[in-house]
Amino acid sequence: MKNSIQILLVTALMSCGGNRNSITEFDEKWNLHQVGSVEWMSSDVPGVVHMDLLKNRKIEDPYLGNNELNLQWIEKENWEYRSSWRVSKEQLRNDHIELVFTGLDTYAEVRLNGEKILTADNMFRSWRVDARPFLKEGDNELIIHFTSPLGQNEEQVKNYPYRLPSGNETTDLQVSAFTRKAAYQFGWDWGPRFVSSGIWRPIYVEAWNDARITHSFVSTQSIAAEKALIQLSISIESDIEAMQTLLVGDQKMEVELIKGINDFTFPMEISQPKLWWPNGHGNPHMYNLDLKLLIDGELRDERSVNYGIRTIQLINEPDSIGTSFYFKVNGEAVFVKGANYIPQDIFPSRVKAEKYEALISKAKEANMNMLRVWGGGIYEDDYFYELCDKNGIMVWQDFMFAGSMYPTDEAFHSTVKNEVRDNINRLRPHPSIALWCGNNEIDVAWKNWGWQTQFGYSEEDSVEIWNNYLRLFHEEIPEEVERLNPLVNYVTTSPLSNWGTPENFNHSSMHYWGVWHGREPFENFKDNVPRFMAEYGFQSFPSYESLAKLTDTSSLSLDSEFISNRQKSYIGNDMITRFSEKYFGKAKDFKSYIENSQKTQALAMKMAIQEHRLNKPHCMGTLFWQLNDVWQGPSWSVLEYDGKPKLAYEEVKKWYQDVVVITRIQGDTVSFHVVSDCLTGFTGELSINISGTDGSLRNHNIDVSLEKNEVKKVFEIISRIKKYRLQLNEDGEVIFEDTNG
């Protein structure tokens, strides 16, 4: 298979010798070794060191047992990748032969035929090098040397004038704040610590002559009843100065190229547009536009641009309640239902297409219309966003900053600005991108978590650290968003309000952790409903069967070393035990404990979501923590690491339906509320069967009529209820059912 791909690469480059440009994945054979060792081993690229060591039987599966504790030595070592690239005379006729590195994790020096061609320092950036001057006919050697992030930053950390908060890092040497690398790999309160190195995303060979298309995307300017105004933005890099031809679909454009980067915009009108709508509100229609660049009448480069016609606005402004926070899609206020998303593996290069497809399918099936890509993970693979486009899942996109403060030096700010540009340029074509967010929980941490006292900052230190925060998240990052993607809103941080003060629930976004971190009862979800709930949740264990695959059954108990190491929350299992026993009694064994933990989480999710939806339009969104898992351990996820739904997933699916009936029992008063997220009116019939504690049976049929996006109490009765069963019908079809007792 490798040989056939190599032949394809050579053929593709030969075919464009002086003519048509090409982009081909560099899929040569790679070898890896630990620096200081003479042994080389086979390597898979894209990949990371840990997976190659496993493949070559140098280590056991990192997820088995307590191997996390046994494999920390890997993060301290330096590693080297080596490949040989055979280049023909025909290939060398291209004016430019570039190597494009879409993901180097993290501190890498790249040498081609002994010459240093790149020094990389950021996992999240892409890197482009013109390799043409360093290539020769025949075999060419490519070596990539990775320095340990710990070794790279040890002296800087030790000599820094003060200690910086570093996410959830618990080791003595904490380098994550200095390292532009996925923060969760340094450890988080739901996952292990595996500080990886490697070529985690593909390398491409791009050969081009005269000119090439570098960026292209379509944005929606406005939507009217009969037409939409869109704009094509396209960047062309050129070696020549001349009038040339650009074919945009079936339209022929003449463009004047100068040497360097040429930016063009073309306004276009679409009659009778088919709009892109979020899941539950219509079809997420996608259009396609073909672009062809002709140089002197010959095809030189081409792109296919997929786009959706939609407008998404965040309305975050003062109102009669306090400060709003809601999304308008195509002019309509949409109640957001979704979850926070974390990377699907501690080693993201091993997440394949099938796993992305299964996860987005599960999100859609659970009636979600938004996922928040959390800022301690990664800017996701292109395929993730393509699936969100196709399935109507809006994306709240954090920039990759979480729970830390960051260095003030210019080199750090420079690489961050390049990181932001790279990822905005890559992601802005996707209609699913609904919001850019500067960071996760840093503003609220600085103002409420006591870092100044914890780290012993002087007044001068505090001023410097905070000013650096303002520079990053209030100046530099939003400036890039405004320049490159101005039609998508930006917020500096999530949340914008802190849950510790009751008044704050009237203002903007909220992460409510009174339940769990505040050890409050589930009933407090009712009294703590914000304008937009961006995080909340409750932990449960993955299934007994999932854990049993990782260790022997003697380690499957709450007090075992294995389970102790899997629980990463500082609270431990106390909250799970306390509330599962409150609602479901004391478990007879560990398997029952797991089952009760999942029942308890499901109850928490139900109670929270019901309150958020009942309080519309005060609250206009609910994103629970968290959708998925990074490994097999207790966490707030509703999907296990292998994608298996927990019980809470089914509750989310039920209570995220477009129209639901929520029952409230207060003493002898029972009320039934219909909540509709439909953007048109809703009419139906509610059938209720009530069994009273006195043995009475009552049946009620209520006609239901709601305006768009309405919450309405449709029926109330004075009765001591033993149990009830209800069905909501639309056009004779049951669309929602609920029962208790």
Side-chain angles (χ1 to χ4, degrees):
M1 181 63 181
K2 290 282 186 182
N3 289 337
S4 64
I5 294 175
Q6 181 173 344
I7 293 170
L8 174 63
L9 169 65
V10 173
T11 304
L13 285 174
M14 287 177 61
S15 67
C16 71
N19 293 303
R20 190 171 175 180
N21 300 340
S22 70
I23 302 175
T24 310
E25 185 169 350
F26 187 95
D27 203 357
E28 307 299 314
K29 179 180 178 181
W30 288 88
N31 290 303
L32 168 73
H33 84 135
Q34 181 181 340
V35 173
S37 167
V38 296
E39 180 186 5
W40 288 83
M41 65 191 87
S42 64
S43 174
D44 291 331
V45 172
V48 292
V49 167
H50 290 76
M51 291 299 96
D52 288 329
L53 292 173
L54 176 62
K55 170 189 172 183
N56 287 277
R57 299 183 179 181
K58 303 298 182 181
I59 62 172
E60 291 184 335
D61 186 332
Y63 282 11
L64 284 179
N66 287 330
N67 281 343
E68 176 198 5
L69 306 177
N70 303 326
L71 299 178
Q72 295 303 306
W73 63 271
I74 299 171
E75 68 182 34
K76 301 178 178 68
E77 300 299 323
N78 302 326
W79 303 88
E80 212 161 62
Y81 287 79
R82 180 178 67 189
S83 183
S84 181
W85 177 18
R86 189 163 187 80
V87 178
S88 68
K89 182 182 296 185
E90 289 78 7
Q91 289 173 281
L92 292 173
R93 291 174 183 168
N94 288 284
D95 296 336
H96 301 272
I97 304 175
E98 293 186 349
L99 285 172
V100 184
F101 304 89
T102 63
L104 297 175
D105 180 12
T106 292
Y107 295 105
E109 181 180 279
V110 183
R111 291 185 175 271
L112 180 57
N113 294 328
E115 297 289 334
K116 183 168 70 175
I117 62 171
L118 172 66
T119 300
D121 64 354
N122 191 320
M123 175 183 182
F124 306 122
R125 287 185 59 182
S126 58
W127 309 86
R128 184 180 293 272
V129 180
D130 192 348
R132 177 67 182 79
F134 306 97
L135 290 172
K136 61 183 181 181
E137 184 180 351
D139 291 331
N140 293 259
E141 185 179 58
L142 188 63
I143 293 178
I144 305 180
H145 176 99
F146 287 93
T147 300
S148 159
L150 282 75
Q152 179 77 24
N153 289 300
E154 182 175 6
E155 289 303 313
Q156 186 180 14
V157 170
K158 289 181 177 178
N159 295 326
Y160 212 68
Y162 40 76
R163 184 179 163 196
L164 291 174
S166 297
N168 276 30
E169 237 181 323
T170 58
T171 54
D172 292 334
L173 177 62
Q174 298 181 356
V175 304
S176 64
F178 296 82
T179 310
R180 291 312 297 148
K181 175 177 174 59
Y184 80 107
Q185 293 180 332
F186 292 90
W188 216 265
D189 60 359
W190 35 257
R193 177 185 173 99
F194 285 111
V195 182
S196 59
S197 293
I199 306 169
W200 76 289
R201 279 182 171 160
I203 300 172
Y204 293 96
V205 178
E206 183 167 350
W208 65 282
N209 302 277
D210 299 328
R212 57 149 174 208
I213 300 170
T214 57
H215 297 292
S216 57
F217 76 104
V218 172
S219 57
T220 304
Q221 304 296 303
S222 65
I223 299 172
E226 302 298 326
K227 66 179 180 181
L229 299 180
I230 64 173
Q231 178 175 280
L232 168 66
S233 299
I234 184 169
S235 295
I236 298 174
E237 184 174 4
S238 178
D239 281 346
I240 60 176
E241 295 187 356
M243 292 293 295
Q244 299 294 345
T245 301
L246 181 67
L247 301 180
V248 180
D250 57 3
Q251 298 183 55
K252 184 177 181 181
M253 313 281 192
E254 297 300 321
V255 293
E256 183 176 0
L257 299 180
I258 60 173
K259 291 183 179 180
I261 301 297
N262 299 260
D263 293 320
F264 301 102
T265 58
F266 301 102
M268 303 171 70
E269 184 177 302
I270 305 295
S271 299
Q272 304 296 323
K274 297 179 181 179
L275 303 186
W276 187 93
W277 286 101
N279 183 33
H281 295 295
N283 181 37
H285 186 82
M286 296 291 293
Y287 286 83
N288 177 267
L289 186 62
D290 291 327
L291 307 177
K292 295 181 179 181
L293 176 63
L294 306 183
I295 300 298
D296 298 331
E298 293 186 5
L299 178 63
R300 187 69 82 246
D301 205 356
E302 59 184 332
R303 293 283 179 97
S304 184
V305 182
N306 296 315
Y307 67 97
I309 298 177
R310 95 293 181 264
T311 59
I312 302 178
Q313 300 167 280
L314 171 66
I315 311 301
N316 182 207
E317 58 191 27
D319 62 10
S320 61
I321 303 172
T323 310
S324 67
F325 195 104
Y326 68 95
F327 291 86
K328 291 178 74 172
V329 182
N330 302 327
E332 298 283 356
V334 168
F335 188 89
V336 166
K337 295 170 292 193
N340 287 263
Y341 168 89
I342 64 172
Q344 296 181 64
D345 200 292
I346 201 72
F347 310 112
S349 56
R350 67 176 177 178
V351 181
K352 305 306 179 187
E354 296 78 13
K355 196 163 186 180
Y356 282 115
E357 291 162 0
L359 181 130
I360 297 301
S361 177
K362 281 285 192 295
K364 183 178 181 179
E365 289 170 10
N367 304 299
M368 297 183 191
N369 57 27
M370 178 178 280
L371 294 176
R372 174 184 174 225
V373 177
W374 169 73
I378 60 174
Y379 304 95
E380 263 299 345
D381 187 86
D382 291 340
Y383 193 47
F384 171 89
Y385 300 96
E386 291 171 13
L387 290 169
C388 289
D389 292 343
K390 294 175 183 177
N391 289 281
I393 307 295
M394 295 183 288
V395 174
W396 168 324
Q397 179 66 55
D398 281 5
F399 289 99
M400 291 301 115
F401 301 88
S404 301
M405 286 297 189
Y406 298 95
T408 61
D409 60 278
E410 293 305 315
F412 183 87
H413 282 265
S414 176
T415 196
V416 165
K417 282 190 279 190
N418 282 301
E419 166 193 325
V420 168
R421 290 169 193 151
D422 283 354
N423 286 286
I424 294 176
N425 283 332
R426 181 170 69 91
L427 302 183
R428 65 184 176 179
H430 295 281
S432 55
I433 297 292
L435 181 70
W436 296 103
C437 177
N439 67 74
N440 173 73
E441 294 188 341
I442 302 178
D443 185 287
V444 73
W446 182 257
K447 294 174 181 176
N448 299 278
W449 293 3
W451 279 352
Q452 294 85 340
T453 301
Q454 178 184 350
F455 296 104
Y457 296 142
S458 67
E459 183 176 347
E460 184 180 14
D461 294 340
S462 295
V463 170
E464 181 175 83
I465 293 168
W466 182 245
N467 284 341
N468 191 54
Y469 173 91
L470 294 175
R471 178 183 173 187
L472 275 170
F473 302 110
H474 288 251
E475 297 174 18
E476 292 175 342
I477 293 177
E479 284 171 2
E480 294 301 322
V481 174
E482 178 62 27
R483 184 173 67 87
L484 297 171
N485 200 204
L487 297 181
V488 175
N489 291 110
Y490 170 85
V491 292
T492 57
T493 187
S494 183
L496 292 170
S497 287
N498 179 46
W499 61 269
T501 304
E503 168 61 21
N504 286 348
F505 286 86
N506 292 325
H507 298 280
S508 298
S509 58
M510 177 74 68
H511 295 185
Y512 173 58
W513 284 110
V515 174
W516 190 265
H517 294 295
R519 302 176 188 268
E520 297 174 7
F522 291 179
E523 289 75 14
N524 282 21
F525 281 123
K526 181 177 181 180
D527 300 319
N528 294 281
V529 179
R531 306 304 301 275
F532 189 103
M533 188 71 93
E535 279 191 25
Y536 63 97
F538 195 83
Q539 271 200 358
S540 70
F541 273 75
S543 66
Y544 184 90
E545 293 73 21
S546 295
L547 294 173
K549 295 176 182 177
L550 306 174
T551 188
D552 58 81
T553 55
S554 64
S555 294
L556 294 178
S557 65
L558 272 183
D559 57 359
S560 72
E561 183 182 357
F562 170 73
I563 292 299
S564 177
N565 186 57
R566 292 276 150 170
Q567 175 55 273
K568 300 298 184 179
S569 172
Y570 68 93
I571 288 177
N573 296 316
D574 174 67
M575 288 288 287
I576 297 175
T577 302
R578 173 183 162 193
F579 283 99
S580 64
E581 290 184 356
K582 174 183 176 180
Y583 291 110
F584 302 103
K586 191 173 181 65
K588 62 182 180 181
D589 53 29
F590 186 57
K591 183 178 288 187
S592 298
Y593 182 89
I594 289 175
E595 293 169 355
N596 286 352
S597 81
Q598 292 203 12
K599 291 177 184 177
T600 306
Q601 181 191 34
L603 178 62
M605 299 303 295
K606 171 185 174 179
M607 293 174 70
I609 293 169
Q610 285 187 345
E611 296 304 332
H612 303 159
R613 297 196 66 184
L614 268 178
N615 282 276
K616 187 169 65 171
H618 172 90
C619 178
M620 283 298 290
T622 175
L623 301 175
F624 65 85
W625 186 271
Q626 65 209 65
L627 176 62
N628 58 302
D629 244 329
V630 75
W631 76 336
Q632 307 94 331
S635 81
W636 295 264
S637 75
V638 300
L639 295 175
E640 297 188 25
Y641 170 68
D642 64 0
K644 179 182 179 180
K646 296 180 180 178
L647 295 180
Y649 173 83
E650 297 302 329
E651 286 296 317
V652 168
K653 182 178 180 180
K654 175 178 179 177
W655 295 105
Y656 271 3
Q657 291 180 75
D658 289 340
V659 184
V660 298
V661 183
I662 298 174
T663 306
R664 282 289 168 263
I665 302 175
Q666 294 180 307
D668 292 346
T669 303
V670 186
S671 56
F672 298 86
H673 307 254
V674 179
V675 181
S676 172
D677 292 339
C678 299
L679 300 183
T680 57
F682 172 82
T683 57
E685 182 182 66
L686 177 62
S687 300
I688 308 173
N689 306 114
I690 296 175
S691 300
T693 55
D694 58 1
S696 62
L697 298 174
R698 302 182 187 183
N699 299 317
H700 302 274
N701 295 307
I702 302 103
D703 290 331
V704 175
S705 178
L706 278 75
E707 301 295 325
K708 68 178 181 180
N709 251 330
E710 189 178 7
V711 179
K712 181 187 286 187
K713 181 168 67 175
V714 297
F715 186 65
E716 185 173 277
I717 188 172
I718 305 300
S719 175
R720 288 190 175 275
I721 284 187
K722 180 180 181 181
K723 65 178 180 179
Y724 66 81
R725 181 175 183 272
L726 62 84
Q727 289 185 334
L728 184 63
N729 297 272
E730 182 182 27
D731 297 328
E733 179 183 351
V734 177
I735 64 169
F736 180 82
E737 309 182 76
D738 191 32
T739 186
N740 80 329

